[in-house]
Amino acid sequence: MKIFSCQTCAHVVFFENTSCERCKSVLGYLPDLETISSVAAEGPAWVASADPEPRYRFCANWELHACNWMVAADDPISYCRACRHNRGVPDLSNAAYRLRWQRIEGAKRRLFYSLIKFGLPLPTANSGAEEPLVFEFLSNMPGGQTVMTGHDNGVITISLDEADDAAREKLRSEMAESYRTLLGHFRHEVGHFYWDVLVRDRNEFDAFREVFGDERPDYAEALARHYAEGTPTNWHEAFVSAYATTHPWEDFAETWAHYIHIVDTLEMAYAFGLSLSPRVDVNAELAASVDGNPYRMKSLDAILAGWVPVTAAVNNLNRSMGQPDLYPFVLSPVVVGKLRYIHALIRGAPEKAMAPAPTA
């Protein structure tokens, strides 16, 4: 994630800001330009300082305080590039549901920031794609079926309970997880979608299985076995998380999510010009200067060279405040190999989207 500046007064602004704290200019995000812009109303449209020639309007969810993204004024679709993927939202007349939905939308926009920067395919329901990427944000109804966060043939469901901090923390504790966030859910579940698009639909099974193993054993049985038998004690040696041990699909999705965690967090470190040189680090093992945009780095080694020292710093800063580690994971050599696969898959995705799929 980048940091931005208000074009009106040059004050620093951030991704979620809807107005400048200094000059009070209205702000909107222009996804095609990957920037926040101060905007001024001109009749029913808006003029963006960062792109003054065309006219814009806000996403339809802006009026519901759930989006700050903009679309071209003549776009026939009233929703922005992120919100047009929504298929189901909760009852917004319920104040509690509406607040949770707004939090969910905030995490979703951060997801789409990364997907757009990577140039990944983003088929909508109106695109004609056989398996478009769509989202349903659903609430548990008394006496009804429990809503489960997950992915099924392009449909990503997020339970509203995940936007309730107390409920999410309770689940995290019950499931013995070290990390559970709304953004983490989005990054994980979309990994399942891109397995379908970039592995299954491209007939890339051999390369995938060489890294993650054979995905053909029954998934439901693997999941039941995971919850019945628990996680192998040595899972850290080959998996980024305990849940990744469940099945190769989950291993892929967990590794995919971690790759985006790493790249997006490092971009913020780069935006702040972060440089680390611990005073007691005689051998410079934790020294780092994040001097390149990780979204554009061709080498995973260069990305990880910045990531490991940054996590050591922020984890210890968190501990100083009595908070758990920001990134409570260890990247073993096997996990790094899996990240290398994800890195190559994502970097090649725009080219793959342009080429015909190979025949089986």
Side-chain angles (χ1 to χ4, degrees), residues 255-274:
T255 310
W256 176 281
H258 278 261
Y259 181 80
I260 302 180
H261 290 337
I262 291 167
V263 171
D264 198 52
T265 305
L266 271 186
E267 188 190 34
M268 181 58 76
Y270 170 65
F272 273 98
L274 189 65

Side-chain angles (χ1 to χ4, degrees), residues 44-59:
W46 295 81
V47 179
S49 298
D51 190 23
E53 290 301 321
R55 294 298 178 261
Y56 289 92
R57 53 183 166 78
F58 279 98
C59 172

Side-chain angles (χ1 to χ4, degrees), residues 92-157:
L92 299 181
S93 66
N94 182 311
Y97 289 177
R98 181 167 175 167
L99 176 59
R100 293 177 192 178
W101 171 66
Q102 289 167 340
R103 292 172 179 170
I104 285 173
E105 290 293 345
K108 189 194 72 182
R109 289 196 303 278
R110 280 190 170 254
L111 169 73
F112 272 85
Y113 171 90
S114 296
L115 301 182
I116 291 171
K117 287 194 72 103
F118 283 133
L120 290 165
L122 293 168
T124 64
N126 296 325
S127 68
E130 292 184 9
E131 188 176 303
L133 175 62
V134 297
F135 295 86
E136 292 190 338
F137 308 130
L138 306 178
S139 59
N140 289 310
M141 303 301 293
Q145 186 176 0
T146 301
V147 175
M148 300 296 291
T149 293
H151 168 267
D152 183 21
N153 295 317
V155 180
I156 292 176
T157 301

Side-chain angles (χ1 to χ4, degrees), residues 251-326:
D251 193 9
F252 177 89
E254 283 287 89
T255 310
W256 176 281
H258 278 261
Y259 181 80
I260 302 180
H261 290 337
I262 291 167
V263 171
D264 198 52
T265 305
L266 271 186
E267 188 190 34
M268 181 58 76
Y270 170 65
F272 273 98
L274 189 65
S275 180
L276 301 172
S277 182
R279 292 184 177 135
V280 298
D281 187 20
V282 177
N283 296 318
E285 294 177 355
L286 295 179
S289 179
V290 186
D291 55 4
N293 187 337
Y295 276 102
R296 298 192 179 98
M297 288 182 180
K298 295 182 179 180
S299 167
L300 178 69
D301 293 332
I303 293 173
L304 295 181
W307 179 243
V308 174
V310 165
T311 56
V314 295
N315 283 349
N316 282 282
L317 288 172
N318 268 26
R319 294 173 193 176
S320 298
M321 289 294 294
Q323 295 294 324
D325 286 355
L326 181 72

Side-chain angles (χ1 to χ4, degrees), residues 108-251:
K108 189 194 72 182
R109 289 196 303 278
R110 280 190 170 254
L111 169 73
F112 272 85
Y113 171 90
S114 296
L115 301 182
I116 291 171
K117 287 194 72 103
F118 283 133
L120 290 165
L122 293 168
T124 64
N126 296 325
S127 68
E130 292 184 9
E131 188 176 303
L133 175 62
V134 297
F135 295 86
E136 292 190 338
F137 308 130
L138 306 178
S139 59
N140 289 310
M141 303 301 293
Q145 186 176 0
T146 301
V147 175
M148 300 296 291
T149 293
H151 168 267
D152 183 21
N153 295 317
V155 180
I156 292 176
T157 301
I158 304 290
S159 169
L160 248 63
D161 285 349
E162 295 294 344
D164 182 301
D165 293 341
R168 189 178 64 254
E169 177 59 20
K170 182 174 182 292
L171 278 171
R172 187 200 65 77
S173 179
E174 290 174 349
M175 300 180 74
E177 297 174 339
S178 56
Y179 174 90
R180 189 181 185 95
T181 67
L182 269 176
L183 185 54
H185 278 309
F186 272 108
R187 288 171 173 168
H188 173 98
E189 299 303 342
V190 85
H192 289 299
F193 170 77
Y194 283 111
W195 186 89
D196 289 352
V197 173
L198 301 177
V199 179
R200 183 198 65 188
D201 293 351
R202 307 299 308 182
N203 195 24
E204 301 262 0
F205 295 109
D206 290 343
F208 168 80
R209 290 167 186 161
E210 185 176 344
V211 177
F212 290 94
D214 192 345
E215 83 292 348
R216 286 171 290 189
D218 186 83
Y219 174 78
E221 291 180 4
L223 193 64
R225 184 169 55 252
H226 170 78
Y227 286 118
E229 301 176 3
T231 308
T233 56
N234 63 342
W235 66 265
H236 304 81
E237 297 175 6
F239 299 91
V240 75
S241 71
Y243 189 60
T245 66
T246 304
H247 187 276
W249 285 339
E250 297 300 347
D251 193 9

